[in-house]
Amino acid sequence: TAESGAYYATYAIGNVSLGYSKAYKATLIANDADGGGSATKVEYYDQSNQSIAYAVNDDLTISYEVEKSEANYLADGTASIEQKSTGVQLAYNLGGMTLAIARNSHENPSYSTTNADLDQTLIAVTMAF
């Protein structure tokens, strides 16, 4: 049977907020998208997240996050692969509008070992009416 679970904790003191979470996920082996042998089938994923945010003032917030996820395979001889993402975010509120920018880096996306690391920048504008 498929199994999953997670827990998290947050703590705030003054203008600083800290966060941590841990999650586990085991899919049904029969549903694994890989049609190959058991050596390439993932038995479970182990994920952890850490974050810190600092509210500079009522309008400006800066945050940093690290997410690690590890694919663990059925075959003991198959090395687990860790996927790691880091990000820095900046958000500025202007009344009913928020301007945000995020810069993220991803190592081993899709649990690939081909060194196809990715970087991305996201700019967002949201408005409340």
Side-chain angles (χ1 to χ4, degrees), residues 59-123:
D59 298 321
L60 180 63
T61 304
I62 301 169
S63 60
Y64 177 75
E65 177 181 29
V66 176
E67 177 180 309
K68 294 179 183 178
S69 182
E70 186 175 73
N72 294 276
Y73 295 90
L74 279 173
D76 290 336
T78 303
S80 60
I81 298 175
E82 182 180 83
Q83 173 179 288
K84 180 180 177 183
S85 297
T86 58
V88 175
Q89 300 87 28
L90 180 71
Y92 186 72
N93 294 315
L94 298 155
M97 181 174 75
T98 301
L99 299 172
I101 185 167
R103 177 70 177 157
N104 302 303
S105 296
H106 309 284
E107 298 173 12
N108 301 325
S110 301
Y111 305 95
S112 171
T113 59
T114 59
N115 294 326
D117 296 347
L118 300 171
D119 292 319
Q120 69 181 161
T121 301
L122 175 68
I123 299 172

Side-chain angles (χ1 to χ4, degrees), residues 20-23 46-50 66-70:
Y20 179 81
S21 68
K22 187 79 170 168
D46 183 354
Q47 179 179 337
S48 64
N49 297 17
Q50 300 91 36
V66 176
E67 177 180 309
K68 294 179 183 178
S69 182
E70 186 175 73

Side-chain angles (χ1 to χ4, degrees), residues 31-47:
N31 290 345
D32 194 317
D34 178 24
S38 63
T40 58
K41 291 189 182 285
V42 174
E43 182 177 12
Y44 68 94
Y45 297 92
D46 183 354
Q47 179 179 337

